[in-house]
Amino acid sequence: MNPLIDNNSLNMSGYSIDEIHVGMKKSVSKTITESDIYTYAGIIGDINPLHVNEEYAKNTRFKTRIAHGMLTASFFSTLVGMCIPGADAIYLGQTLKFLLPVKIGDTITATGEITKVVPEKKIAYMKTTVVNQRGELVIDGEATVMATK
């Protein structure tokens, strides 16, 4: 079982478009570690020193290393694939506004809330947000998803 997701949030059978409704909401949380940043950097090849070199990052406006914005935003994929719609979901699109940095040790919570459902196309729109442990909005956006069931 994935420790990042509350067992009550898992939807391995997937929701049909008829089961999805405006106001439906799910969240996932994760504390970002140094290992997460190095692993992500290695996978995608973005070894910008702002993410991987503490000495370099000390001299930036952030004063320390920060997580890749897309690492933080990637938890929206977890919401779509594991929660709403869940299994067999198709992720159609995502808008993102990066508002604050995420630092090593920050605990982030990504939330998706259904704002519109288009049953005839099996498409739903979801407000997507990430907040840190202080409740500060880190990322704001909107996802477009398809429920294939």
Side-chain angles (χ1 to χ4, degrees), residues 76 94-97 126-129 139-143:
F76 296 142
Q94 177 72 56
T95 63
L96 298 168
K97 290 181 186 172
M126 183 184 305
K127 177 175 178 50
T128 52
T129 59
I139 298 176
D140 193 19
E142 181 183 66

Side-chain angles (χ1 to χ4, degrees), residues 55-100:
E55 289 305 310
Y56 175 89
K58 283 180 184 177
N59 296 311
T60 68
R61 65 185 184 146
F62 303 111
K63 305 298 182 206
T64 190
R65 290 171 290 168
I66 62 171
H68 301 76
M70 293 305 287
L71 167 61
T72 305
S74 70
F75 291 94
F76 296 142
S77 183
T78 305
L79 288 170
V80 172
M82 302 297 291
C83 301
I84 306 171
D88 296 331
I90 297 175
Y91 208 149
L92 299 174
Q94 177 72 56
T95 63
L96 298 168
K97 290 181 186 172
F98 298 98
L99 303 172
L100 290 174

Side-chain angles (χ1 to χ4, degrees), residues 112-131:
E113 181 176 358
I114 300 296
T115 58
K116 181 179 176 183
V117 180
V118 184
E120 61 277 9
K121 293 186 178 182
K122 295 187 176 186
I123 291 176
Y125 295 87
M126 183 184 305
K127 177 175 178 50
T128 52
T129 59
V130 174
V131 297

Side-chain angles (χ1 to χ4, degrees), residues 31-50:
T31 300
I32 301 299
T33 67
E34 182 177 46
S35 177
D36 295 327
I37 292 171
Y38 283 128
T39 300
Y40 187 80
I43 290 169
I44 68 165
D46 179 355
I47 56 169
N48 180 326
L50 183 56

